[in-house]
């Protein structure tokens, strides 16, 4: 009888610990951006974004190396890194924020939840407060994050030279897609 009781206590405590996971992580998040301009649309993708979520506190952080963006045209990628985002001088972009409706998300139950995020976005050495809406999908112990937001390059002191202003829009749409696993201690 004592064995069965100990086995039950052990099993229940293990289940509690598994459900108590509060930190999730990935190094393979995806961020893309899209810019529509009169003469040319510009699109780039980054597939090695680091993201950390603490669901207990509702904190969320993303970090990426600027030169990891991939473009369809090599010249666009070169100009992006050299002239616009100056990736040698400002090598990373980062977001640190808070899920403002974190209490409405049930992290231990599979489902899809609307999420509102507010925080500080740093690009090109400039940090600005930003907000985004998205969704958090809980599926079989993983957390999937999807969000989009629009930014103005001028807010981050990214200068578009007059020669190409018809090819590059000041307004850029950013899309986030990340699948996070429990962070192992």
């Amino acid at each position: 009888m004592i064995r069965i009781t100990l086995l039950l206590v052990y099993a229940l405590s293990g289940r509690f610990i598994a459900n108590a996971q509060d930190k999730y992580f990935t190094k393979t998040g995806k961020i893309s951006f899209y810019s529509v301009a009169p003469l040319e649309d510009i699109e780039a993708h980054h597939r090695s974004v680091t993201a950390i979520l603490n669901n207990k506190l509702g904190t969320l952080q993303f970090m990426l190396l600027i030169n990891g963006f991939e473009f369809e045209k090599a010249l666009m990628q070169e100009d992006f890194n050299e002239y616009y985002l100056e990736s040698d001088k400002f090598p990373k972009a980062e977001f640190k924020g808070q899920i403002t409706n974190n209490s409405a998300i049930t992290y231990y139950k599979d489902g899809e939840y609307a999420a509102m995020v507010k925080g500080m976005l740093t690009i090109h050495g400039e940090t600005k407060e930003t907000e985004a809406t998205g969704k958090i999908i809980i599926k079989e112990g993983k957390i999937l994050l999807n969000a989009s937001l629009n930014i103005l390059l001028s807010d981050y002191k990214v200068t578009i030279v007059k020669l190409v202003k018809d090819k590059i829009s000041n307004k850029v749409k950013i899309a986030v897609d990340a699948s996070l696993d429990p962070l192992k201690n």
Side-chain angles (χ1 to χ4, degrees):
M1 185 65 168
I2 293 175
R3 257 192 196 163
I4 293 173
T5 304
L6 288 174
L7 187 59
L8 274 173
V9 168
Y10 178 75
L12 289 175
S13 66
R15 178 177 292 279
F16 175 76
I17 290 169
N19 286 337
Q21 178 66 45
D22 59 1
K23 291 183 183 170
Y24 292 79
F25 174 81
T26 189
K27 286 185 177 181
T28 59
K30 297 173 185 80
I31 290 184
S32 59
F33 71 81
Y34 191 69
S35 167
V36 178
L39 296 180
E40 190 169 25
D41 296 343
I42 298 173
E43 184 173 3
H45 302 275
H46 200 301
R47 292 174 179 82
S48 48
V49 177
T50 299
I52 299 173
L53 166 69
N54 182 320
N55 65 5
K56 184 176 182 181
L57 301 174
T59 57
L60 183 60
Q61 187 171 356
F62 289 91
M63 195 282 297
L64 61 85
L65 295 175
I66 294 296
N67 65 8
F69 277 104
E70 298 173 355
F71 293 73
E72 186 176 314
K73 297 177 183 176
L75 184 58
M76 279 185 182
Q77 189 163 331
E78 186 179 317
D79 287 349
F80 171 81
N81 282 296
E82 192 171 328
Y83 301 113
Y84 298 104
L85 272 280
E86 302 173 277
S87 62
D88 286 342
K89 188 175 178 182
F90 306 105
K92 68 179 184 173
E94 187 172 42
F95 174 82
K96 292 181 182 181
Q98 184 76 37
I99 301 170
T100 58
N101 65 327
N102 196 54
S103 63
I105 300 166
T106 309
Y107 288 98
Y108 59 85
K109 181 180 175 187
D110 283 2
E112 186 174 309
Y113 305 90
M116 295 173 283
V117 180
K118 185 176 187 177
M120 303 305 283
L121 178 61
T122 302
I123 300 173
H124 197 241
E126 294 295 315
T127 302
K128 301 286 180 197
E129 186 173 79
T130 190
E131 293 182 26
T133 58
K135 61 184 171 181
I136 294 177
I137 301 165
I138 312 299
K139 186 174 180 180
E140 299 173 3
K142 285 190 173 221
I143 296 180
L144 308 170
L145 306 175
N146 302 108
S148 65
L149 67 142
N150 292 310
I151 65 164
L152 298 176
L153 294 175
S154 57
D155 286 346
Y156 296 91
K157 296 188 180 174
V158 175
T159 305
I160 301 169
V161 294
K162 290 185 183 197
L163 180 66
V164 294
K165 74 174 185 144
D166 289 337
K167 289 186 177 186
I168 301 173
S169 174
N170 186 43
K171 185 177 181 182
V172 175
K173 180 179 181 176
I174 299 173
V176 178
D177 183 22
S179 175
L180 286 71
D181 293 311
L183 182 64
K184 296 184 179 23
N185 295 332

